[in-house]
Amino acid sequence: MANRNVPIPRRQLYIGGEWREPVKKNRIPIINPATEEIIGDIPAATAEDVDIAVEAARKAIARDDWGSTTGAKRAKYLRAIAAKVLEKKSVLATLESLDSGKTLFESAADMDDVAGCFEYYADLAEALDSRRKIPVNLNSDSFKTYVLREPLGVVGLITPWNYPLLMAIWKVAPALAAGCAAILKPSELASITCLELGEICREIGLPSGALNILTGLGPEAGGPLASHPHVDKISFTGSGPTGSKIMTAAAQLVKPVSLELGGKSPIVVFDDIDNLDIAAEWTLFGIFANTGQVCSATSRLIVQESIASAFLDRLLKWTKNIKISDPLEEDCKLGPVVSAGQYEKVLKFISNAKSEGATILYGGKRPQHLKKGYYVQPTIITDVNTSMEIWKEEVFGPVLCVKTFKTEEEAIELANDTKYGLAAAVMSKDVRRCERFTKAFQSGIIWINCSQPTFNQLPWGGKKRSGFGRDLGEWGLENFLNIKQVTEYTSAEPWAFYKSPSKN
Ligand SMILES: NC(=O)c1ccc[n+]([C@@H]2O[C@H](COP(=O)([O-])OP(=O)(O)OC[C@H]3O[C@@H](n4cnc5c(N)ncnc54)[C@H](O)[C@@H]3O)[C@@H](O)[C@H]2O)c1
Ligand SMILES: C[N+](C)(C)CCCC=O
Ligand code: NA
């Protein structure tokens, strides 16, 4: 077992490069979901702190040490942050697990991804210097034109608890690479590592106000950020209902938003797969990794009838083999869900499925051997129909629902039978069929013969109720840039639209 005695730092809000007590001095307890114990507390920002942070961010943009930096200079800061994350990886990973219930293996992988994301955007920041000013040839003797890419300004980044630091960094890294000044509002359910990012920024000497970190409750800290007149954009990852509220607040000021919301993604398994075990493991990973608390979790298995019984049999064998334990234990593969509220919500989805007539093929309860903590067994639900809640709604927990199909057309119809459109997976060795599914799936992310692998270079986001805009890749950087066209009249001749008074 990893050292659970890693001390939880007692931090304040990170504003203008300094630790600053919230104006109202309120704090929120930190709960370890594996033990249900309070292990520390975080500061709770309110509108007053948001005003101070926005002011600090605006000053950073006006100052030469941030507002006039080149991409190459910003890349140095981003690389320094990445190096510090790797240096502190073991402590950061432990803190992430203590706070969110994520297995230590997954927390450590997240810290590698966090460092990789900063490094990736460091490269893009450098490349931005040569793309900052692009001439556009009009074939005109009278006009010279060019297009500028500039930082968008002060941006608000509001993020969820499922990958507490990684989801924040998907926004922080491109925002800083672009030269924006950012205000990060992580989830009140898991904020420790985002506050530690503040300490890292302080240590590497990031110019003050370039990144500000306000922990606190959604309506009290996130709300005032979304509606602040001097915040130029909100980039949000979280639930649909909160996304709607943020869009409504931003709409009053015609403030741009990008929304990465939830999903109910399908995984379609055909009977032509060579290896049931490989398909079973990807199916498992698609729903039980991070205890199912993944926006892109492939939570609806759509399996061809001819192999359904053999495939479910294999899935059960793999599922029974998952080690459920304290997330800091060696080889733990399924930790608790993040909070008491999430635990109740997941169990309610399971009991509703049962009352609607579905069969709990496996799991559905708290594991017998764990008396404390918000643990739910990995759960597989069959006899599902398309009007059931379990088919339609995002559970955000370790719950897979299963339907069978006979024909390809039926599989496509079932896959797209959702209000969401984040991700979709197909398992088949028929290349043409995979191409047909790639085209037919109504989503922003397609996985072929796998589920969940994610790369910094590729755009991340969805359609339908899964939101709009893209994180990651060059699209993630464009989110934080203002495009400005410049048109210069270069002719010595008069414009000659009006009659010249000198010719009267
Ligand atoms: N599409 C993606 O990339 C992606 C990634 C991770 C999570 N998610 C989604 O996030 C959800 C789970 O995360 P969550 O429970 O933290 O979501 P949530 O919507 O409850 O909270 C997200 C963030 O919004 C803040 N917030 C809450 N109310 C607010 C308000 N009125 N104004 C401003 N901010 C407010 C919260 O404090 C938190 O920081 C799931 O639906 C999941 O699918 C999506
Ligand atoms: C696919 N990953 C890497 C697990 C990231 C998912 C992000 C959303 O929850
Ligand atoms: Na927590």
Side-chain angles (χ1 to χ4, degrees):
M1 172 116 66
N3 178 13
R4 65 162 56 260
N5 295 322
V6 170
I8 311 287
R10 189 173 191 279
R11 300 283 181 208
Q12 302 294 351
L13 304 173
Y14 184 68
I15 301 179
E18 290 170 1
W19 296 112
R20 197 180 166 119
E21 192 174 31
V23 170
K24 292 201 169 154
K25 304 190 190 312
N26 292 337
R27 298 191 70 91
I28 301 167
I30 302 169
I31 296 170
N32 176 353
T35 59
E36 305 179 29
E37 283 164 5
I38 295 177
I39 53 173
D41 55 28
I42 54 168
T46 54
E48 293 78 0
D49 304 298
V50 172
D51 284 341
I52 298 169
V54 172
E55 184 59 26
R58 292 225 83 83
K59 279 194 183 137
I61 285 179
R63 271 195 337 262
D64 283 352
D65 68 351
W66 190 248
S68 314
T69 42
T70 59
K73 177 79 185 164
R74 295 195 296 275
K76 290 205 169 94
Y77 291 122
L78 294 181
R79 292 199 181 104
I81 296 173
K84 274 277 175 202
V85 168
L86 291 178
E87 186 188 310
K88 298 183 180 205
K89 175 177 159 182
S90 151
V91 168
L92 287 172
T94 307
L95 290 172
E96 197 76 305
S97 289
L98 289 170
D99 201 4
S100 70
K102 193 181 274 279
T103 68
L104 192 60
F105 180 85
E106 290 183 73
S107 294
D110 280 9
M111 295 312 133
D112 288 334
D113 285 349
V114 163
C117 190
F118 274 116
E119 276 158 11
Y120 173 74
Y121 280 107
D123 292 349
L124 261 58
E126 266 171 357
L128 191 56
D129 286 337
S130 58
R131 292 169 61 232
R132 201 189 67 81
K133 180 176 175 182
I134 306 279
V136 177
N137 185 1
L138 303 175
N139 289 324
S140 160
D141 294 335
S142 307
F143 294 100
K144 196 169 99 186
T145 66
Y146 55 96
V147 171
L148 294 176
R149 279 191 163 74
E150 299 178 331
L152 194 60
V154 173
V155 293
L157 317 175
I158 304 181
T159 55
W161 45 260
N162 62 336
Y163 291 78
L165 189 56
L166 185 60
M167 287 303 98
I169 276 20
W170 281 12
K171 299 179 189 304
V172 167
L176 296 181
C180 290
I183 299 163
L184 168 66
K185 209 306 275 173
S187 166
E188 60 276 22
L189 291 178
S191 287
I192 303 179
T193 48
C194 283
L195 285 171
E196 290 319 286
L197 175 66
E199 181 61 9
I200 288 176
C201 291
R202 215 186 51 77
E203 287 171 4
I204 64 118
L206 185 74
S208 64
L211 176 65
N212 307 276
I213 304 166
L214 299 184
T215 52
L217 300 175
E220 287 178 16
L225 189 58
S227 59
H228 201 289
H230 296 135
V231 172
D232 299 300
K233 177 167 189 169
I234 295 288
S235 177
F236 172 75
T237 297
S239 66
T242 308
S244 282
K245 281 185 200 150
I246 285 175
M247 202 172 160
T248 304
Q252 311 313 308
L253 301 164
V254 199
K255 190 196 296 285
V257 293
S258 73
L259 301 178
E260 302 287 350
L261 309 175
K264 190 79 188 179
S265 301
I267 178 164
V268 178
V269 180
F270 277 93
D271 65 3
D272 64 358
I273 47 168
D274 280 329
N275 188 319
L276 285 186
D277 283 308
I278 292 179
E281 193 185 0
W282 280 118
T283 305
L284 235 63
F285 188 66
I287 183 61
F288 299 141
N290 209 38
T291 316
Q293 303 164 118
V294 185
C295 50
S296 53
T298 36
S299 52
R300 292 182 300 136
L301 167 63
I302 300 167
V303 57
Q304 198 153 21
E305 204 176 72
S306 41
I307 56 158
S309 152
F311 191 65
L312 282 177
D313 193 50
R314 206 64 62 95
L315 262 188
L316 281 182
K317 289 201 170 87
W318 279 82
T319 305
K320 286 175 186 163
N321 213 24
I322 293 175
K323 175 170 173 179
I324 313 167
S325 71
D326 185 296
L328 296 186
E329 252 183 49
E330 189 92 9
D331 290 334
C332 171
K333 286 289 151 67
L334 196 106
V337 297
V338 72
S339 64
Q342 194 65 17
Y343 175 77
E344 296 301 334
K345 199 176 128 191
V346 173
L347 290 180
K348 182 86 179 122
F349 271 114
I350 296 170
S351 69
N352 286 353
K354 233 189 300 187
S355 359
E356 287 191 72
T359 302
I360 312 303
L361 183 70
Y362 185 79
K365 301 193 194 90
R366 142 185 291 287
Q368 287 287 308
H369 66 289
L370 292 159
K371 303 292 174 218
K372 272 259 165 215
Y374 309 125
Y375 293 93
V376 182
Q377 290 173 321
T379 299
I380 301 175
I381 303 185
T382 54
D383 298 320
V384 169
N385 69 49
T386 56
S387 60
M388 288 181 184
E389 179 192 63
I390 200 67
W391 176 259
K392 294 202 253 183
E393 301 300 331
E394 180 184 50
V395 174
F396 225 56
V399 181
L400 178 69
C401 71
V402 184
K403 268 197 83 58
T404 60
F405 70 92
K406 286 199 181 75
T407 65
E408 192 171 309
E409 293 67 36
E410 200 188 340
I412 289 172
E413 205 180 307
L414 286 170
N416 287 334
D417 178 36
T418 167
K419 61 189 171 195
Y420 293 110
L422 186 56
V426 58
M427 315 283 293
S428 167
K429 69 173 181 200
D430 180 338
V431 177
R432 289 269 157 70
R433 170 183 280 153
C434 292
E435 279 169 10
R436 287 194 293 278
F437 270 79
T438 298
K439 190 160 174 232
F441 278 143
Q442 297 163 352
S443 64
I445 300 158
I446 308 293
W447 283 300
I448 299 175
N449 291 322
C450 60
S451 176
Q452 308 304 315
T454 304
F455 301 93
N456 289 322
Q457 294 85 343
L458 298 177
W460 183 275
K463 59 191 288 194
K464 295 160 83 177
R465 298 261 198 106
S466 292
F468 52 85
R470 294 291 181 267
D471 281 337
L472 295 183
E474 60 196 73
W475 302 266
L477 184 68
E478 292 294 331
N479 264 334
F480 297 109
L481 293 170
N482 180 47
I483 306 293
K484 185 184 264 179
Q485 65 131 303
V486 182
T487 299
E488 181 184 349
Y489 186 54
T490 47
S491 164
E493 298 301 316
W495 188 226
F497 180 77
Y498 298 105
K499 187 175 163 199
S500 165
S502 63
K503 294 204 176 128
N504 280 340

